[in-house]
Amino acid sequence: MRAIVGLWRWRHNPLRRGTDLVEAWVALAALVLIVVAAPVVGTLTAGLSRDALLASVREQREARHATIGTVVRKVPAPPLDPDPETASARDAHSRVLARWAGPDGTDRSGVVAARLDAPRPGDHFRLWTDERGRVVGRPLDPVTATTHAALAGLGAATAGVALVEGARRLVLWRIVQGRYARLDQAWAKAGPDWGRAGTGS
């Protein structure tokens, strides 16, 4: 709105500099890009991300199989991890030696993470395996995929706004630097005669 008011104010003003009009047009262009282009970029990014993630959801659901694991015994926890990001995800699970059946019916066993507070031998828990019976992560669900796509769209729109605003500020900085340079040149011409009585007469 300020850009539109600025354009109107500078239309026929005798004090208007050429750079004032350029500054107002740049502000108006930035406003239009932020209001129109940023939401379009965000929507397109969210749509493309959602399509890709939903395709990944379908692939994972076809390739991963839910099965029931049986606890053989609890495995001692590894030493504390100093990285809070990886440690917090691992702390929610217990490490156990477990048995499970692969997709082909063969018996498998190994150390896995189970969502059990106090695992005891014989406890059952859900886990996911690939075609060979190896333990893999739970497949992505459509709700999580949609949420990630929405966040990607929001991030793209925010990045677009930041890019436009950064470009506007860069152009404005260049305009101001040009004004200072012209002021310095004018001052250099007037400087030697400044304050002398009768100069120029």
Side-chain angles (χ1 to χ4, degrees):
M1 190 57 88
R2 211 166 91 190
I4 295 169
V5 171
L7 280 174
W8 183 259
R9 185 182 66 196
W10 290 117
R11 225 177 74 188
H12 296 298
N13 192 324
L15 298 176
R16 182 193 76 195
R17 298 167 291 194
T19 56
D20 293 328
L21 200 55
V22 170
E23 183 180 339
W25 277 111
V26 167
L28 180 63
L31 177 68
V32 169
L33 285 173
I34 287 172
V35 170
V36 176
V40 169
V41 167
T43 303
L44 286 175
T45 302
L48 293 172
S49 298
R50 185 172 182 275
D51 292 344
L53 286 170
L54 288 179
S56 178
V57 166
R58 285 189 295 275
E59 289 172 9
Q60 287 181 9
R61 287 192 180 259
E62 290 171 5
R64 298 180 185 187
H65 308 281
T67 188
I68 300 298
T70 304
V71 175
V72 175
R73 65 179 168 81
K74 185 174 180 180
V75 175
L80 291 175
D81 189 350
D83 184 5
E85 290 182 11
T86 57
S88 62
R90 207 173 27 244
D91 291 344
H93 299 83
S94 299
R95 287 169 41 91
V96 297
L97 177 64
R99 289 189 326 263
W100 66 92
D104 58 358
T106 58
D107 286 334
R108 303 279 180 161
S109 64
V111 176
V112 296
R115 283 187 173 272
L116 297 170
D117 293 332
R120 291 173 298 189
D123 284 350
H124 299 290
F125 62 97
R126 188 176 188 181
L127 56 83
W128 294 85
T129 64
D130 62 10
E131 299 291 342
R132 297 181 181 178
R134 293 177 301 199
V135 175
V136 293
R138 180 176 62 88
L140 190 65
D141 60 276
V143 174
T144 305
T146 303
T147 302
H148 288 178
L151 290 174
L154 181 63
T158 303
V161 169
L163 184 65
V164 169
E165 178 61 14
R168 186 192 71 81
R169 287 178 184 249
L170 181 62
V171 169
L172 183 60
W173 178 79
R174 293 289 296 158
I175 289 171
V176 169
Q177 293 302 313
R179 286 177 185 162
Y180 287 156
R182 285 189 295 281
L183 183 61
D184 287 343
Q185 289 170 359
W187 183 254
K189 288 180 186 174
D193 294 333
W194 183 258
R196 292 186 188 168
T199 54
S201 55

